[in-house]
Amino acid sequence: MIHPWNEASWQSVLAGVDKLPHALLISGPEGVGKLALARHLARRILCETAEGREDACGRCEGCHWYDTGAHPDFRLIQPEALDAAAAGEAEGPEESERPAGAKKAKPSSEIRIEQIRNLADFLNIGSHRARRRIAIVHPAESLNANAANSLLKSLEEPPAGALFVLVCHQPARLLPTVRSRCVSLEVPAPDPALAAKWLAEQGLARPEALLRFNSGAPLRAAESSGMPVAESVAAFLKTWQDRPLAALGLLKDKEELALLVEGLQKYAYDQAFRGAGMPARFLSYRGDARPDAGSALRWARIARELGRIRRRLDHPLNQSLQLHRIMQLFHNE
Ligand SMILES: [Zn+2]
């Protein structure tokens, strides 16, 4: 499926679909549907009756294989952690179900060299269905150093008929040598009106506020429908000022904690912007007094510190320490 705001990007890929080079780099902000675009392209190329048409037919054998996730000429390479999340197994078996002494290995958040080596084997066999063989690498910045170097070798001497589609949120984090071997397609930030309309069609309330809170990325907004937007962050902060421990008791699990810290960080950035005389970016503050100009730098520091805390939240032992740190930050304000 092509998201409505990506129609122009799709048309530009489609215009050259029969002369695509061996590597395409699709980059743009996170949460705007780049992977969906890459998958749509793969399905279109693997469709066996698509010549001269915009979309895959959905009826041929190629489409059938692709739609059942078993096309022999297609691979999606992503970090184990994303595969696990997609399969709904991120938590793994309960403690009691594991053999005694077995430690639960945390799914990797990197793309590892074995994955790229297996990919090279797959691409070197040749096509099963006499069309191209396609590998989507998502997100490309999660390739670790060894994997990136291994991929670079394949990009330098691509197997005949191979097409690499690298999906990337932060192309600056890719090896320049990898970047330079790809034809680049930059997916722009979505048109806000189209994105809000789409969110409303997905049944989400207050799509504009959700979109704003998620920096304009509609897919992030759609996933985070429980996110504390404007009022709930404000309500939390009010409880926090009166009874911080009661406010923390409102959090059910670490996902809620993560959302809260994200909300607080965006609140702090907004205060910094507003203190400096600029408009708020994430939340709306109708009727709230502007912070004074002297506090803008202090709020910016708080926002950066909250960013550091967000990156460490994954570690369960750290959570109470981090909460303590957050309370200090806001109490000194
Ligand atoms: Zn088809």
Side-chain angles (χ1 to χ4, degrees):
M1 178 194 61
I2 289 297
H3 297 98
W5 56 86
N6 282 338
E7 191 55 39
S9 296
W10 171 240
Q11 290 301 329
S12 77
V13 180
L14 198 59
V17 74
D18 298 321
K19 333 177 256 299
L20 280 175
H22 66 276
L24 185 65
L25 171 62
I26 303 183
S27 62
E30 188 165 1
V32 303
K34 299 187 298 300
L35 179 59
L37 189 66
R39 282 183 155 285
H40 199 74
L41 173 65
R43 187 172 184 259
R44 165 65 176 71
I45 292 173
L46 294 169
C47 172
E48 295 171 10
T49 70
E51 259 82 359
R53 287 202 269 170
E54 272 208 14
D55 293 321
C57 73
R59 290 181 304 275
C60 70
E61 273 193 69
C63 285
H64 173 74
W65 285 115
Y66 184 87
D67 291 344
T68 53
H71 201 295
D73 295 328
F74 176 77
R75 290 282 189 282
L76 170 63
I77 306 297
Q78 52 183 3
E80 245 175 42
L82 280 183
D83 281 335
E89 303 166 345
E91 297 305 319
E94 291 299 318
E95 196 77 45
S96 58
E97 294 167 12
R98 263 176 272 136
K103 279 214 172 139
K104 184 168 85 174
K106 200 175 169 206
S108 174
S109 58
E110 294 183 334
I111 296 176
R112 291 165 309 155
I113 189 164
E114 299 79 45
Q115 293 173 277
I116 300 300
R117 284 202 187 119
N118 292 340
L119 184 61
D121 293 344
F122 152 76
L123 291 169
N124 281 319
I125 296 169
S127 167
H128 285 273
R129 308 270 325 159
R131 309 185 71 80
R132 298 192 78 160
R133 315 202 88 191
I134 305 175
I136 295 179
V137 180
H138 165 259
E141 62 267 47
S142 64
L143 288 158
N144 69 23
N146 289 337
N149 278 311
S150 175
L151 179 65
L152 180 60
K153 286 199 194 94
S154 295
L155 292 177
E156 281 167 343
E157 291 172 38
L163 171 62
F164 295 90
V165 183
L166 277 57
V167 175
C168 186
H169 316 310
Q170 295 173 286
R173 288 177 54 199
L174 287 183
L175 285 180
T177 39
V178 165
R179 257 197 334 257
S180 70
R181 287 195 156 67
C182 301
V183 166
S184 172
L185 173 75
E186 283 176 37
V187 176
D191 174 78
L194 276 181
K197 178 164 175 277
W198 180 82
L199 284 171
E201 284 163 8
Q202 312 305 305
L204 294 169
R206 308 184 51 239
E208 286 85 5
L210 265 180
L211 200 59
R212 189 172 156 86
F213 188 78
N214 288 287
S215 309
L219 302 191
R220 280 197 67 196
E223 271 175 16
S224 61
S225 49
M227 182 163 287
V229 286
E231 294 88 22
S232 44
V233 169
F236 184 92
L237 286 170
K238 185 157 173 24
T239 313
W240 182 287
Q241 270 157 14
D242 302 339
R243 295 175 301 138
L245 287 175
L248 293 179
L250 298 173
L251 302 174
K252 284 203 295 290
D253 51 31
K254 69 175 186 188
E255 277 75 25
E256 285 199 6
L257 174 64
L259 286 176
L260 172 76
V261 182
E262 181 180 356
L264 292 175
Q265 187 192 20
K266 291 182 172 175
Y267 174 82
Y269 270 127
D270 276 355
Q271 298 307 94
F273 288 130
R274 297 173 75 227
M278 293 185 279
R281 282 182 51 190
F282 300 108
L283 305 170
S284 53
Y285 301 86
R286 264 174 243 112
D288 281 14
R290 236 172 219 287
D292 61 79
S295 70
L297 277 179
R298 213 160 58 239
W299 279 113
R301 267 198 299 276
I302 291 179
R304 276 198 301 276
E305 180 61 23
L306 286 166
R308 275 192 283 276
I309 291 173
R310 275 179 76 190
R311 288 194 289 280
R312 283 186 230 127
L313 273 182
D314 253 359
H315 200 305
L317 287 178
N318 271 342
Q319 277 172 17
S320 58
L321 278 176
Q322 305 294 14
L323 280 171
H324 187 71
R325 178 78 190 111
I326 294 171
M327 288 168 77
Q328 279 180 336
L329 278 174
F330 275 82
H331 271 239
N332 293 341
E333 200 27 60

